Every structure is written in C-alpha cells, then in structure tokens.
Amino acid sequence: MAKTLEQKVLSCAVDQWNKSHAGITSINIARRIRSSNVKVMAAMIALEAAGKCSLNKNVEFFTVSVGKRGMKFAKKATIAHVIFPNKEILTDYFYSSGLARQGLSVYVERLHKGAHQYALVYFSEEVLAKYLDRPEFYDVEDSLSGGSIRSNTDDDTKQIYVRHGRRQLANGRSAVVAPYKDLANLDAAQQRYWHGFEIVEPDIVAPDQNYSNYIQRTFDGAFVDYENPLGNFMEAVKYVNSHLGGLALFRNTSNPHLRIPVENTEKTFYDACSELFKIIGPDSLIVSTIKKILVDDFGTAEAEFIHKKSGRALSPFQQLQLLETKAGIEPKATTSIDEVKHLRVRADHAIVEPMSSDTNFVEEFYALCNNVGYALMFLAIRLEAARAKVKS
C-alpha cells in the first residue's frame, strides 16, 4: 500500500531526527519526496493536528542552489515549517527499528527517543567530585552559576567536555545541570557515571539568577559574568602580592587541590578549608616581607618581634597581627585567617562522621571564600594607604 503524503513527511522527519537529533524543514522534505513545499507544509499541519509532531511555523529561509556557475542564493525568502516528531512516535520507531538492540548509551538512547539536544538533565553535586579530585586529568571551572569540565589528557577513557550549570533546589542545595548534547558525546562509561547521580524529578526554585546567568551565557551567547567566590579569593591573594611595592605577602598563589565540598558532608567541608588554609596560613606567609614593612615603614624595634610572656619569636601570623596594629588597620584579615585555621584543625584532628547534612556546605564554603577575599582586599588597600601616609 502506497504511503500517504502525511506518512511520507513523518517518515522523513523521523529519519532526519535519528540522523541528527534535529528537525527538518518542509523545503528539504519536499525535495526528498518530490513534492511541493506548500503541500508538505499542509501535511505538517495535519500531522500536528493529529498530535504526531510539533512545528516551528512560517520560518523564512533563503535557499541555495548549486550549478555549473557555482552557488546561487535566492533573493527572496521561502516560507517553510520545521517539523519535530513527538516523543511517542520516536520511541515507537526506536523499538521497532532495531535501535533498541544496538546497546546505545543512556543519553544517546534518550536523544533517539526525542529528548532535545539542549534540554537539561539534573544531577546531584557529587557528580563533580570525580573531576575535581583529579586535577591532573581534568580542568574544572566552577562557580555559583556553573562552568565547564574539560579533559587535559590524551587518555581516551577520560575525554570529556561538559558545560555544566547550577540550579537552586527547594531543599536549599543546588543541582548540577548539563545539556543532553554534551552528555551524549561522552563515552558509555562516563555516561553511566553521570547517570548514577541523576535527579529524576528535581524540585526547583524560581527565580534563580545564577541559573539564569548560565542559560544566558551557554545558550544565548551573552557576555555574562559568573559569580565565583573561590576565583575571587585567589584574585584577592594575587592583589595583595601586587600592591606591596614589589614585595609579596603570600608564597602560595595557587593550589590544584583546592575545590568546593560537593559531597556536602562536614568532612569534605573541613578538608576544603584545609586546602584553603595552605594559601593564607603561616607556611604561605612571607615573614621577611612582613618584617621589612614593620621595620622600614612603621619603625618597629627588634624587641617587638619577641613575645613578652614566652620570650619566643613572633610567629608569621602574630607578625601579621602586629602589622595590622601598627598600621591602624581593623584586623579583618587575621580574624578571617584564624577562622579558616580553626576549621582546618578540625579537618586534621577531629573525627567527623562522613554523613550527609541538611547544611549547604557549598554555600558555606563560598561564603567563607567571599569573607576571606574581602578581608585580604581590605588589608591590601588600607596597608597601602597607611604606608603612603607614613612616607608623606
């Protein structure tokens, strides 16, 4: 039995979807089945009315023809519809065509069944842990809005490029989101890994500005800045070092193991604080810089570098406290460093149950990074002003 025009149109649409996971224009279908664009458009309307597809209607296209004299562009636009077969049609085709027996990976299979390439899949934040824990294999950019995960190795089993975002959930935490297109490009093992962290029915919160920023940058091509407290903290460290007249206060300005606590347990939070402390703690503070500024700019006597009660030399942290005092600066920096120190001590010495918590430790860690970053900027600006005043 010969196919009707509607059946031919739908068959072309299904075939195109399974090749490219995208729609097809009435112009292209008309060429394939040797019909007119007008008739194919009418058939598409009938298929939509029957609930078999969705349409992007009355789109203007400028056709291109190729002849002996090269490419020729039409001067007038052609009006056409773009057809997208419904999920039910595509799913039925998937099981009847033999695709189901090919062992396709999970997200590729969903695309064949009608998932949109740029539809988003939701995951618990723990999905990022694998990539954050292995900086030698993966470059991870992350922020309150999201970022990207890229492999930095030639190992085929570790190849990945995913543009991930974050979206606030009703339980106070945030989910990681990623488009089907990026997930489907992963190998089968990587897809199984992501699938293990998938949130099937996320309870989302709206509005969510950080999520909106991700959508605008990733899909709208907008120049949108992501709020990145961890990145801002690192920039604050570098800012301090660049505003001391050629001196540097911190020895360490990077740490590949510093990451957000995506597992959302107290232990991972304290571990993250421990890595943070390696940037601003005593091992990173350059004592010679602190002492030089204290002596040259504020006339500090040698005896003041000795603790009165213990008779011991002041620690790098105590010298930084002395510098704040001599410069008349509110001790925001040392207070913040001390806060991170106490959290770091718990990471190194306390036995903490590795259980999940209702606390959003990602948020807490980002707030901590913001506070420390602000305190360091405050120190740099006030110290620069105090030194200038003394010299004037």
Side-chain angles (χ1 to χ4, degrees):
M1 182 182 294
K3 287 184 177 181
T4 64
L5 180 59
E6 286 83 359
Q7 289 173 327
K8 290 179 181 179
V9 169
L10 187 59
S11 179
C12 283
V14 170
D15 180 63
Q16 181 63 35
W17 182 271
N18 282 285
K19 288 178 180 177
S20 64
H21 308 304
I24 183 171
T25 69
S26 54
I27 299 170
N28 287 336
I29 292 180
R31 288 172 180 167
R32 289 188 189 183
I33 65 175
R34 297 182 180 179
S35 182
S36 71
N37 181 47
V38 173
K39 289 181 179 179
V40 172
M41 289 173 68
M44 286 182 174
I45 296 295
L47 288 167
E48 182 187 43
K52 295 182 178 181
C53 69
S54 59
L55 300 177
N56 188 359
K57 299 176 183 176
N58 301 320
V59 182
E60 290 188 349
F61 292 95
F62 287 87
T63 58
V64 180
S65 59
V66 181
K68 293 181 179 180
R69 295 183 179 180
M71 299 176 64
K72 184 178 180 181
F73 294 86
K75 295 181 179 180
K76 184 178 180 182
T78 300
I79 303 299
H81 298 331
V82 182
I83 184 171
F84 304 89
N86 281 357
K87 287 186 177 182
E88 293 78 7
I89 298 293
L90 291 168
T91 301
D92 288 344
Y93 178 83
F94 179 83
Y95 288 110
S96 65
S97 65
L99 284 170
R101 295 186 292 276
Q102 293 183 14
L104 298 174
S105 49
V106 57
Y107 296 111
V108 173
E109 178 178 319
R110 290 189 194 174
L111 286 176
H112 280 290
K113 291 179 179 179
H116 193 286
Q117 291 189 66
Y118 293 102
L120 296 173
V121 187
Y122 288 73
F123 304 91
S124 60
E125 289 181 320
E126 286 82 355
V127 73
L128 299 179
K130 169 182 177 178
Y131 307 104
L132 290 165
D133 282 341
R134 303 303 299 272
E136 69 272 30
F137 294 138
Y138 306 104
D139 291 326
V140 181
E141 294 181 7
D142 195 38
S143 70
L144 292 176
S145 293
S148 64
I149 307 166
R150 301 172 185 265
S151 50
N152 57 18
T153 174
D154 293 331
D155 187 338
D156 290 340
T157 65
K158 295 178 175 62
Q159 293 305 307
I160 181 173
Y161 173 57
V162 172
R163 297 160 294 176
H164 72 281
R166 291 181 179 275
R167 191 167 194 182
Q168 196 72 23
L169 299 177
N171 63 7
R173 296 199 62 191
S174 61
V176 169
V177 297
Y180 271 106
K181 179 178 176 61
D182 291 2
L183 296 168
N185 285 334
L186 301 176
D187 64 32
Q190 294 265 27
Q191 290 189 43
R192 286 194 296 271
Y193 171 78
W194 282 76
H195 186 235
F197 294 94
E198 188 171 335
I199 302 172
V200 180
E201 294 182 358
D203 188 4
I204 59 177
V205 172
D208 183 343
Q209 186 57 53
N210 289 322
Y211 172 73
S212 296
N213 290 343
Y214 166 73
I215 295 296
Q216 290 176 49
R217 180 193 283 193
T218 305
F219 303 114
D220 298 339
F223 292 97
V224 179
D225 288 329
Y226 286 172
E227 186 180 350
N228 185 358
L230 185 53
N232 293 341
F233 159 75
M234 297 305 301
E235 288 302 315
V237 171
K238 295 173 183 177
Y239 182 88
V240 174
N241 280 356
S242 65
H243 283 72
L244 293 178
L247 301 174
L249 181 62
F250 296 104
R251 182 174 291 104
N252 302 326
T253 57
S254 65
N255 180 357
H257 300 288
L258 177 58
R259 69 171 181 84
I260 57 173
V262 291
E263 288 86 353
N264 206 59
T265 63
E266 282 190 272
K267 184 179 186 309
T268 53
F269 173 68
Y270 295 141
D271 286 343
C273 292
S274 183
E275 297 298 331
L276 187 70
F277 192 66
K278 292 176 182 178
I279 302 292
I280 56 175
D283 290 341
S284 183
L285 286 171
I286 301 175
V287 178
S288 59
T289 292
I290 302 173
K291 188 170 185 178
K292 181 176 178 57
I293 296 174
L294 279 168
V295 174
D296 293 353
D297 295 333
F298 300 104
T300 306
E302 191 65 34
E304 294 182 78
F305 290 96
I306 305 298
H307 196 278
K308 290 181 180 180
K309 291 184 178 180
S310 68
R312 297 177 180 175
L314 295 181
S315 68
F317 180 73
Q318 288 171 329
Q319 288 192 35
L320 186 59
Q321 287 180 310
L322 178 61
L323 179 58
E324 288 175 324
T325 301
K326 289 282 186 177
I329 301 171
E330 188 179 346
K332 293 180 184 291
T334 52
T335 299
S336 295
I337 293 172
D338 199 42
E339 180 185 359
V340 179
K341 173 188 173 183
H342 287 299
L343 294 169
R344 172 252 185 186
V345 168
R346 286 191 61 80
D348 292 346
H349 302 291
I351 298 176
V352 182
E353 292 295 329
M355 58 192 300
S356 185
S357 171
D358 291 335
T359 304
N360 188 333
F361 285 115
V362 173
E363 243 180 45
E364 285 212 0
F365 185 70
Y366 271 146
L368 181 66
C369 289
N370 272 332
N371 291 339
V372 178
Y374 167 76
L376 294 180
M377 294 289 286
F378 178 85
L379 172 67
I381 293 169
R382 292 300 177 88
L383 183 56
E384 189 175 31
R387 295 177 71 192
K389 184 177 180 180
V390 169
K391 293 176 180 178
S392 63

